[in-house]
Amino acid sequence: MTFDYAARRERLAGLLPAHEVHALLVTSPVNVRYLTGLASSNAAVLVRADGTATLATDNRYIEAARRLDVPSAEAADVAGSLALPGTGIEAASMSVAAFRRLGDGLVPLGPVVEVLRAVKDEAELELIRTACAITDQAFADVSPRIAPGMTERELAGLLDRRMTELGADKPAFDTIVASGENGAIPHHTPTSRELRAGDLVTMDFGARYQGYHADMTRTVSLGPPADWQREVYELVAAAQRAGRHALTPGARAGDVDEAARSVIEHAGHGGHFRHGLGHGVGLEIHEEPFLGPSRTGRLEDRVPITVEPGVYLPGRGGVRIEDTLVTREGGPELFTKTTKELLVL
């Protein structure tokens, strides 16, 4: 996939005057990749307000850097080679020690590139769409094998291997499998606990494809669900529908969260849903924008984002349902298409 990195740098350059800096020193590896195409563990790019840029990296990556459309230089101290007084820096990615070492005159800034990255072009969306299709297919292939006696760790391994077999770079993050009472822990780490008849089993997983991430959660029932399990599942499904329908360009992030959260609160389970409703996805699995009660920003068009409400009952279990979607003027486009009906296995 080919991207117009120069155009990305020009858009960033256009934002710099509002931040009262003449250039931005980008040191986040993900942001360097977004602006130049260089995937590395040690690089920095200086983007100036006039649209010009210079990339610095060490001898491990310099040959790759020289093949790109941005002037590059080899340096052991990549940030130090580019830092000048009056330059903005990425406060979230530069350590305090590095900031002190580089000297006075640098201007710490918030998530400038991250906000730019939130709106995707159609080429990026196609990669995320493919990552989601791999995720969907992995679930379809693995779900018939889910049965009592399998451990959480074994199930996570099956999902991970199948995504890789289907073309993923690797799993987008550490796969979550939470069964029975472990379902009350939103980010449970899979264990040797064996799945049992009567369990609800929550699987939170996704594929990474050409650097772009998918994120999906499904909860299934091993055998016919108890009344309380079906009731909680239907509540979460209703909240998730409300959140999806609220995803429109121009909507406030906090209002989208409220659309889903209010459904759960009105059913008396507000205290059992204590995380944000969702987050952007792209070159990172969690990126701008974020959906939560205190979030004030507005969504734009072409923003891929998750909607993932849950209800977690300590000692009993939980339910979470999550999709990756993208905001569109005519209504959100669903990328993860696996059924959200309660599957009884």
Side-chain angles (χ1 to χ4, degrees), residues 95-291:
S95 69
V96 172
F99 179 67
R100 290 174 174 169
R101 175 175 56 80
L102 294 176
D104 297 331
L106 301 180
V107 182
L109 297 180
V112 181
V113 182
E114 288 84 353
V115 172
L116 192 67
R117 280 171 36 205
V119 177
K120 307 300 191 286
D121 61 35
E122 292 300 333
E124 291 179 288
L125 292 176
E126 184 58 32
L127 294 179
I128 297 171
R129 189 181 287 110
T130 300
C132 289
I134 291 171
T135 304
D136 277 327
Q137 189 60 53
F139 181 79
D141 294 346
V142 169
S143 57
R145 301 177 61 180
I146 301 173
M150 176 182 289
T151 69
E152 293 175 338
R153 196 174 291 123
E154 287 169 344
L155 177 50
L158 288 176
L159 290 167
D160 290 350
R161 284 192 296 275
R162 189 59 186 141
M163 288 188 289
T164 303
E165 291 167 354
L166 290 166
D169 304 338
K170 62 180 184 178
F173 52 92
D174 291 339
T175 293
I176 295 169
V177 174
S179 61
E181 66 279 2
N182 291 338
I185 305 170
H187 275 198
H188 173 69
T189 299
T191 69
S192 58
R193 182 191 186 277
E194 293 185 352
L195 311 187
R196 305 165 192 163
D199 279 349
L200 290 176
V201 181
T202 296
M203 292 157 280
D204 187 342
F205 63 105
R208 194 184 83 170
Y209 181 74
Q210 294 187 26
Y212 283 80
H213 297 73
D215 200 355
M216 182 175 83
T217 304
R218 292 295 185 267
T219 301
V220 302
S221 177
L222 287 188
D227 289 345
W228 73 268
Q229 292 173 321
R230 185 171 291 281
E231 177 183 328
V232 170
Y233 190 94
E234 291 176 352
L235 172 62
V236 173
Q240 211 251 1
R241 285 193 298 272
R244 295 198 323 266
H245 293 160
L247 279 180
T248 59
R252 290 184 182 275
D255 291 344
V256 178
D257 180 275
E258 174 63 19
R261 192 173 302 276
S262 62
V263 174
I264 293 174
E265 289 176 341
H266 291 161
H269 283 290
H272 297 135
F273 175 31
R274 302 181 67 181
H275 57 72
L277 181 65
H279 54 85
V281 294
L283 285 170
E284 294 181 287
I285 187 59
H286 298 112
E287 61 179 54
E288 294 284 345
F290 293 89
L291 303 177

